[in-house]
Amino acid sequence: MRTKDELFRAAQREVAARRQRAVTRAEALRTEALRRHPEIGDAQAQRTRLGAAYLMTAAQGADITKRLAAQRAFEQAGETLNGVIRAAGYQPEEFVPKYTCLACQDTGISNGRPCSCVAELARTLRREEINAASPLALCSFDSFELERYPTAVDPELGGPVRDYMGKILAYCRRWAAEFSPKSPNLLFTGSAGLGKTHLALAVADAVLDRGYDVLYTSSAALAAQLSREHFDRDTDDDWLNACKEADLLILDDLGTEFMTQLTVSVLYELVNTRMLCRRPTIYTTNIVDQSVFEARYTEKVASRMLGNCRMFKFFGTDQRLK
């Protein structure tokens, strides 16, 4: 798992590699064409000579007639060169590098600023990371099927489960569409298989599309990785910093991690840092009893999680069984 800066640098390296590949392919084709067809080189040399002569007439302040004649000769030499290239079985544009991004020509810089292609590639790299750890590609708002939830009235809700879940879905759509550092944290609770992870990943997908950096990790994976980082000083991974810095963090399946004093300490640091820096987090958990939550994570950690969240309890029957 990489921080935003690490992802951006990786994207920059890939853009630079794209440029190098494009230049290398065009140059290799040009070299092969010159080897097989020396007449291309001759026509190219002629155009170069006439181009230099044209520039010289302009630099020496020659009269307009001489400048126009030199210009026409240069242009005709270019047409001749293109004709020789086509006669050899090539197209002139094949000798020009084909860049992936026309705005920056794969330099990563457009109008003196980082090109949007770098940010887009960084988001793609982040999607790949999330996909490796979750079914992100399968989870969207459109694939969240309300028809799977019962229409029967739930005694705790006092109304139909499907209608209630539809309201949660609508809220999450708005939350993702209006996402900003001022967005409230979200906590999804409920039994297993009710769509908590699906909806959290649907939000992640929509927020990624809006250009924000989103990071997903299960609570168990985070705790295991942080333990490795703590005891293995040779590791280059820094999950904690990545989790602290992400614009949106999805911390999935709270309650499944192996709890130690280190886990509690790190969770407190993570939750507190994100709260102070105004970086929203979505938590999901099967724990529905607040007292159990506090007993597991300590009152200090639980109060920071629960006290700064919009809480949604999921109802229905296990979707995975269906």
Side-chain angles (χ1 to χ4, degrees), residues 5 10 17 27 32 65 86 96 101 111 118 131 137 152 168-169 173 190 209 254 263 265 270 277 287:
D5 286 344
E27 186 58 29
E32 179 65 13
T65 302
R86 292 190 181 95
V96 178
C101 178
N111 296 321
V118 179
N131 269 317
I168 294 180
L169 174 61
R173 281 183 183 272
D209 279 343
L254 282 168
T263 307
S265 174
L270 173 60
C277 295
I287 302 173

Side-chain angles (χ1 to χ4, degrees), residues 107-118:
T107 62
I109 301 294
S110 178
N111 296 321
R113 304 179 65 182
C115 185
S116 60
C117 71
V118 179

Side-chain angles (χ1 to χ4, degrees), residues 26 29-30 33 40 81-96 98:
L29 182 63
R30 177 179 172 277
I40 295 178
L81 171 61
N82 288 341
V84 172
I85 290 173
R86 292 190 181 95
Y90 301 93
Q91 294 298 321
E93 54 270 22
E94 290 182 274
F95 298 158
V96 178
K98 293 179 176 61

Side-chain angles (χ1 to χ4, degrees), residues 156-157 164-165 168 187-191 194 196 288 311-315:
E156 183 177 344
L157 282 174
Y164 169 78
M165 294 304 297
I168 294 180
L187 175 64
F188 297 160
T189 70
S191 302
L194 299 184
K196 300 183 298 296
V288 296
M311 289 182 277
F312 296 92
K313 185 175 180 181
F314 283 47
F315 289 83

Side-chain angles (χ1 to χ4, degrees), residues 1 125-140 196-205 208 214-219 221 239 249-253 284 320:
M1 188 183 302
L125 294 175
R126 183 65 87 197
R127 280 184 184 278
E128 291 173 357
E129 283 190 349
I130 298 176
N131 269 317
S134 74
L136 176 67
L138 303 176
C139 298
S140 68
K196 300 183 298 296
T197 297
H198 184 125
L199 203 50
L201 288 172
V203 171
D205 185 55
L208 271 170
V214 179
L215 194 149
Y216 167 92
T217 180
S218 70
S219 182
W239 280 40
L249 172 66
I250 311 292
L251 187 52
D252 196 23
D253 267 346
T284 77
R320 296 165 188 161

Side-chain angles (χ1 to χ4, degrees), residues 237-258:
D237 292 326
D238 196 348
W239 280 40
L240 184 56
N241 281 340
C243 289
K244 286 178 181 177
E245 295 174 5
D247 298 324
L248 172 62
L249 172 66
I250 311 292
L251 187 52
D252 196 23
D253 267 346
L254 282 168
T256 60
E257 69 284 331
F258 179 70

Side-chain angles (χ1 to χ4, degrees), residues 46 74 89 109 144-145 158 178 199 231 240 260-261 266 306:
Q46 176 67 0
F74 172 61
I109 301 294
F144 190 81
E145 299 175 356
E178 299 168 0
L199 203 50
F231 293 109
L240 184 56
T260 64
Q261 284 297 110
V266 169
L306 304 179

Side-chain angles (χ1 to χ4, degrees), residues 2-3 33 100 108 124 130 171 188 192 195 206 226 239 249 259 270:
R2 291 170 285 187
T3 63
T100 303
T124 298
I130 298 176
Y171 177 87
F188 297 160
L226 292 177
W239 280 40
L249 172 66
M259 292 301 294
L270 173 60

